[in-house]
Amino acid sequence: MTVRRTLLATGLAALLMQIPLIASAQKMVLKAADVHPAGYPTVMAVESLGRKLETASEGRLKVQTYPGGVLGGEKEMIEQTQFGAINLLRTSLGPVGTVVPEVNVFNMPFVFRDIAHMRAVIDGPIGEELLARISASPAKLVAIAWMDGGSRNLYTKKPVRQPADLKGQKIRMMGNPLFVDTMNAMGGNGISMGYGEVFTALQTGVVDGAENNAPSYFTSNHYSTGAKYYTQTHHLIIPEILVVSRVTWDKLSPADQALMKKLGREAQLEQRALWDKAVADNTAKLKGAGVEFIEIDSKAFREATAPVRAKYGAAHADLIRRIEAVR
């Protein structure tokens, strides 16, 4: 009897040792989410990643995309990703700043000189460092790539050319106190609101305007609400991120994890090319739809937001100096 129990125990132990190997060989469909619609540069880049992943894994790993915010707003989708209900998420950096404070250095107004400066930073050591910080944080998100979010500009129902023009205007901002403070410093009244609520809020007058990049302004159809003045403030140039749920990541083999990181880097560069084309195309469409693009010298807005950089940048002074030094 003792010998039999020993054999059974040995067999069970051997079976348990095989479980990770069996699980790693099983097929896995990764649920990928985005608030942006099908055809948007970030969605297209993730779809390309999925095709490459399926080929490289010989069909063992696949990606199924859920664009257009069908799984919720970014805050809700981040929470779902933390619990593993969403496996792969492209999200704005703004909401992540509330759970990983270190990334707020990229969320500050006018921290980048221009788009080229931002790309040089995220492609280099600083970009890698912050991806690692996100992955090492308690947020249960593994960051594998940056993506372009362009420069964010104001769109309003009344033309804005200087901070004084924003007085009394309620402007929607992403859900992060830093952004609300930024708008308040610029002269407006910052209102924190989910992306999916903005269209109705503009229509009904709950807000007088919002701010975003040109592709988002166009694809969201916000220009049709009467917010037809697009002021080139470039007050925020915020990269976006592609993250994998930590729950999902821990189920992947080291080889699959390395593959995901490799494909994430490729997606970062693919999305950039798609982004530049989308900016050009959507800018032309917006102008064709009667949107007035207002070119300004943003110096007054930059100076007005100095207290915001002082407040939120104090903890990241060394990193900010490194960002400024990037050429």
Side-chain angles (χ1 to χ4, degrees), residues 4-19:
R4 184 180 178 185
R5 282 201 298 267
T6 301
L7 290 172
L8 287 171
T10 302
L12 179 59
L15 179 61
L16 290 173
M17 289 176 65
Q18 292 297 316
I19 287 177

Side-chain angles (χ1 to χ4, degrees), residues 94-116:
V96 178
T98 62
V99 291
V100 187
E102 292 90 338
V103 303
N104 274 327
V105 69
F106 282 178
N107 286 328
M108 291 190 300
F110 300 104
V111 72
F112 296 113
R113 293 185 295 273
D114 49 34
I115 297 292

Side-chain angles (χ1 to χ4, degrees), residues 17 28 30 43-44 91 95-96 128 131 137 150 171-172 175-176 178 193 215 225 235 253 265 285 297 302 305-306 310:
M17 289 176 65
M28 185 183 297
L30 303 179
V43 176
M44 294 173 69
T91 181
V96 178
E128 287 297 320
L131 288 179
S137 76
I171 308 296
R172 178 265 175 179
N176 186 325
L178 190 161
M193 181 181 294
T225 64
H235 55 280
S253 68
R265 177 69 174 193
K285 291 175 181 177
D297 180 349
R302 186 183 306 111
T305 54

Side-chain angles (χ1 to χ4, degrees), residues 1 49 77 88 95 132 140 194 258 291 326:
M1 183 66 71
L49 181 154
M77 289 196 292
L88 189 61
K140 298 182 180 180
V291 171
V326 173

Side-chain angles (χ1 to χ4, degrees), residues 195-258:
Y195 187 64
E197 303 171 48
V198 182
F199 184 88
T200 301
L202 285 166
Q203 271 191 326
T204 58
V206 171
V207 295
D208 303 300
E211 48 82 65
N212 217 318
N213 53 61
S216 296
Y217 178 38
F218 178 76
T219 58
S220 63
N221 205 29
H222 289 174
Y223 64 93
S224 69
T225 64
K228 63 178 183 178
Y229 296 100
Y230 194 62
T231 304
Q232 307 287 278
T233 50
H234 307 295
H235 55 280
L236 295 172
I237 301 177
I238 307 173
E240 302 178 343
I241 55 170
L242 184 63
V243 297
V244 180
S245 168
R246 172 62 69 179
V247 176
T248 303
W249 188 259
D250 289 344
K251 294 178 182 177
L252 298 174
S253 68
D256 287 341
Q257 290 175 351

Side-chain angles (χ1 to χ4, degrees), residues 20 52 86 110 142 167 178 254 265 287 300:
K52 292 180 181 179
I86 291 174
F110 300 104
V142 177
K167 184 176 182 180
L178 190 161
R265 177 69 174 193
K287 289 180 177 179

Side-chain angles (χ1 to χ4, degrees), residues 122-162:
I122 64 173
D123 287 349
I126 295 174
E128 287 297 320
E129 180 181 320
L130 284 187
L131 288 179
R133 288 190 189 185
I134 294 169
S135 300
S137 76
K140 298 182 180 180
L141 304 172
V142 177
I144 64 171
W146 295 104
M147 290 193 171
D148 270 38
S151 67
R152 298 177 75 95
N153 303 290
L154 288 168
Y155 50 93
T156 52
K157 297 178 181 179
K158 298 177 182 179
V160 173
R161 293 181 172 84
Q162 56 188 347

